[in-house]
Amino acid sequence: MNNSPQKSGFVALIGKPNVGKSTLLNKLIGQAISITADKPQTTRNRIRGIITESDYQAVILDTPGIHLPRNELHRRIIQYAVQSLQDTDLLFFITEPLSKNQNSISELDQLVIEKLRELSTKIILVLNKIDLYTPDQILQSISKFNDSFDFLETVPISALKNKGLDILKSFFSKYLPEGIQYFPEDQMTDLPERVLVAEFVREQIMRHCFHEIPYGAAVIVESFEESESLIKIYATIHVEKKSHKKIVIGKNGSMLKKVGQRARVKIEGLLGKKIYLSLHVKISVNWINNPRKLSEFGYPKS
Ligand code: GDP
Ligand code: MG
């Protein structure tokens, strides 16, 4: 007899930007594989986390946040987010409780709820960041959201403070269908290491240059050479214009150095090996609206 899990399936995290989807995924997995930042629109890749327990394997999708489309990049992100819901077995709709001055569900959440109506997936409401709200606000929010949609379950949590996460985990064995084990039990993500490395570099650019470069930059890992004691990584940071290039490089290269150092520490933590990281900044004019460049940089066609 083998001891593979009896339940398995795909779980999508959906919700507007900044509600804590990436934080939740990281906490569920127990290791930071998805990038987080206190700025919206950080997640561009469909990063998966995999949790394997004795009775289930849950493959988790961290979808990009949904927002109102204003350009080709936005349009692709939304399409991408919605597509990722079609074939999932379980869906966590993540949002925050309503605040004191907020009488109704935000426009963006209503937009998401409208999309949920088109799906036949099991949908669970996750109210995150309860550490920031009063019990009264939380209770009222639970009833308001459930008035607008018939959620299978409602769970108030705080991803940051590790509250309610066990309840979410219990849903994996409860609601996932019977199925095969998709991945080896020690694997935590199926994203290639190159993509994770690119995401870590982009995370640092978002953290340090967000105000000047609202869409950040695209990062491509050009080469990844692994030897016994060291991994040498060469990556190109694509920005839209000369002024952005100047910002990313910084005075005497100080910004690029900072971005590189911080990304390197995180990559070393992830890969468990000494890293040599070489970053190069290149101007790719208007890549945000260029379908060929978007595809090249890893945003699939809708
Ligand atoms: P995403 O855009 O939905 O993936 O959101 P992130 O995971 O990147 O989180 C956005 C911000 O919210 C970050 O600054 C997180 O630290 C913060 N955050 C996430 N979960 C919680 C929580 O439970 N409580 C509080 N106070 N902040 C949280
Ligand atoms: Mg995210």
Side-chain angles (χ1 to χ4, degrees):
M1 287 294 288
N2 69 36
N3 55 357
S4 340
Q6 299 109 22
K7 300 271 190 110
S8 67
F10 293 83
V11 183
L13 310 181
I14 185 91
K16 58 190 181 191
N18 226 24
V19 293
K21 297 180 295 299
S22 300
T23 308
L24 174 63
L25 174 59
N26 291 341
K27 292 286 176 147
L28 288 173
I29 303 294
Q31 183 180 353
I33 55 146
S34 183
I35 61 173
T36 58
D38 49 6
K39 309 286 188 303
Q41 288 187 35
T42 310
T43 308
R44 296 266 173 77
N45 281 302
R46 183 172 166 172
I47 293 181
R48 295 167 178 201
I50 302 159
I51 307 174
T52 310
E53 294 291 346
S54 57
D55 54 343
Y56 68 83
Q57 181 169 73
V59 182
I60 303 183
L61 313 174
D62 180 22
T63 60
I66 287 190
H67 35 89
L68 306 170
R70 254 175 267 118
N71 59 32
E72 172 71 10
L73 176 66
H74 283 169
R75 205 182 61 70
R76 287 200 187 195
I77 289 177
I78 293 170
Q79 191 54 34
Y80 200 28
V82 174
Q83 266 173 12
S84 69
L85 307 178
Q86 315 279 11
D87 302 315
T88 53
D89 300 296
L90 193 60
L91 208 150
F92 290 167
F93 168 44
I94 319 223
T95 188
E96 282 181 53
L98 306 182
S99 60
K100 207 167 59 198
N101 315 321
Q102 210 185 337
N103 288 320
S104 55
I105 300 171
S106 71
E107 197 186 339
L108 217 45
D109 273 347
Q110 284 178 22
L111 190 115
V112 177
I113 289 170
E114 285 317 308
K115 298 230 175 267
L116 298 184
R117 292 190 206 289
E118 299 162 19
L119 303 168
S120 56
T121 313
K122 293 174 177 146
I123 301 171
I124 286 162
L125 173 65
V126 178
L127 287 173
N128 188 30
K129 308 197 186 182
I130 54 166
D131 54 297
L132 302 178
Y133 297 86
T134 63
D136 225 35
Q137 287 169 332
I138 296 165
L139 284 175
Q140 285 192 10
S141 304
I142 291 175
S143 96
K144 281 233 166 75
F145 276 99
N146 278 280
D147 282 345
S148 75
F149 188 88
D150 193 12
F151 292 100
L152 183 62
E153 305 257 12
T154 299
V155 192
I157 69 159
S158 169
L160 204 62
K161 312 256 171 188
N162 286 312
K163 291 226 168 75
L165 303 187
D166 286 344
I167 301 175
L168 290 184
K169 283 191 172 182
S170 75
F171 293 159
F172 297 145
S173 47
K174 190 167 174 192
Y175 293 121
L176 288 179
E178 296 203 348
I180 58 158
Q181 181 176 331
Y182 295 97
F183 301 98
E185 54 252 22
D186 57 354
Q187 190 168 335
M188 280 177 299
T189 172
D190 72 340
L191 261 200
E193 285 167 347
R194 281 171 180 255
V195 178
L196 291 174
V197 166
E199 282 286 281
F200 280 155
V201 173
R202 217 169 56 74
E203 174 185 34
Q204 293 304 324
I205 297 167
M206 290 293 283
R207 272 184 204 268
H208 299 294
C209 318
F210 178 76
H211 292 294
E212 293 85 358
I213 310 178
Y215 297 115
V219 178
I220 303 282
V221 171
E222 310 286 353
S223 76
F224 192 101
E225 299 163 15
E226 185 159 6
S227 65
E228 195 139 342
S229 57
L230 183 75
I231 304 174
K232 280 189 186 171
I233 301 169
Y234 297 84
T236 305
I237 300 168
H238 294 265
V239 293
E240 281 203 287
K241 38 182 138 164
K242 208 167 166 186
S243 62
H244 289 178
K245 180 171 174 176
K246 259 177 93 176
I247 292 160
V248 172
I249 291 175
K251 204 164 175 228
N252 299 323
S254 56
M255 179 59 83
L256 197 60
K257 197 169 159 195
K258 181 152 100 183
V259 164
Q261 274 172 350
R262 304 215 170 158
R264 183 175 51 76
V265 169
K266 290 194 78 169
I267 297 164
E268 283 179 345
L270 179 83
L271 301 181
K273 218 166 189 180
K274 210 166 148 38
I275 302 291
Y276 168 82
L277 178 63
S278 167
L279 299 176
H280 175 79
V281 186
K282 194 179 159 190
I283 300 165
S284 296
V285 180
N286 201 20
W287 65 268
I288 278 171
N289 282 305
N290 180 328
R292 195 181 54 78
K293 286 243 162 72
L294 283 168
S295 300
E296 195 181 308
F297 294 163
Y299 301 100
K301 272 213 197 70
S302 44

